[in-house]
Structures are given as C-alpha cells and as structure tokens.
Amino acid sequence: MEYHDNQDVRLGGIVELGMPDGREKARVVMLGDDYKHLELEASFESWVKKDKILKSDSIVIEWLGKNPLAHSDPNYALVGNYLFTGVSADLKLIGRARHE
C-alpha cells in the first residue's frame, strides 16, 4: 500500500488529514492489507478482526491531538480516537515511525 506520492504506508507513520476546521495529525495504527497493528485497545482490535470491517486498501489512524470529530451532543453517538480511512491524495505523510 502506498500514499499518493508513492511512499509506502507503514505502521507508526505520522500523517495529516484534511478536516472541516483544518488539517489534523494522526498516527497509522493498523493496515488493512495484512491487519498488522500497533498496540490497540483489545476490544477494538478484536472487533475489527472478527467483523472484517477494514478493507485491504484502507488503514486505521489514531488522532495525535484533540479528536476533531469529538462532540458533546447527546443526540449522536460518541466517537472514538480511531478513524478508518482510505489512502487518498488528501492523506499526507509528514513523519516516519520512530522504529524505522
């Protein structure tokens, strides 16, 4: 799997993603092509694998700062700190994982 600029998508990579209020930073924590992952909440990891909800061309990212999708509206479900996303032109690699 590669980013739009042909760099390999790797676990721990730091990315920026466009959100309604600007670009937000996140870290790649799971790869859809082989389900490799960094440390995840056990219930989240189990759910993803059991229900096979991560497409092979997608990844899971974890927000590094405040979750840009967080809200306090009781009419809507709460959101977690993970986001499933495809590897689109809007997802930009800005830093490599420390262990590389």
Side-chain angles (χ1 to χ4, degrees):
M1 191 172 355
E2 296 179 337
Y3 293 102
H4 187 68
D5 63 2
N6 298 324
Q7 294 187 69
D8 289 336
V9 176
R10 296 186 182 169
L11 289 174
I14 306 301
V15 296
E16 275 188 341
L17 181 62
M19 298 302 291
D21 291 332
R23 299 194 65 78
E24 299 291 339
K25 292 181 185 175
R27 177 174 57 126
V28 177
V29 295
M30 186 175 236
L31 305 175
D33 56 359
D34 59 12
Y35 279 70
K36 286 185 181 175
H37 58 85
L38 297 178
E39 290 183 33
L40 298 172
E41 295 171 9
S43 60
F44 178 82
E45 177 188 348
S46 175
W47 170 65
V48 171
K49 289 180 176 179
K50 182 179 121 244
D51 291 350
K52 298 180 177 141
I53 59 170
L54 182 59
K55 295 180 182 180
S56 64
D57 61 349
S58 296
I59 60 174
V60 177
I61 60 174
E62 180 179 29
W63 301 113
L64 291 178
K66 180 179 178 255
N67 184 333
L69 302 173
H71 63 82
S72 58
D73 188 334
N75 295 309
Y76 297 98
L78 297 174
V79 295
N81 284 327
Y82 300 122
L83 177 77
F84 292 78
T85 184
V87 183
S88 69
D90 190 48
L91 188 71
K92 303 216 184 306
L93 178 68
I94 61 169
R96 285 287 178 193
R98 292 182 185 167
H99 63 275
E100 290 187 66

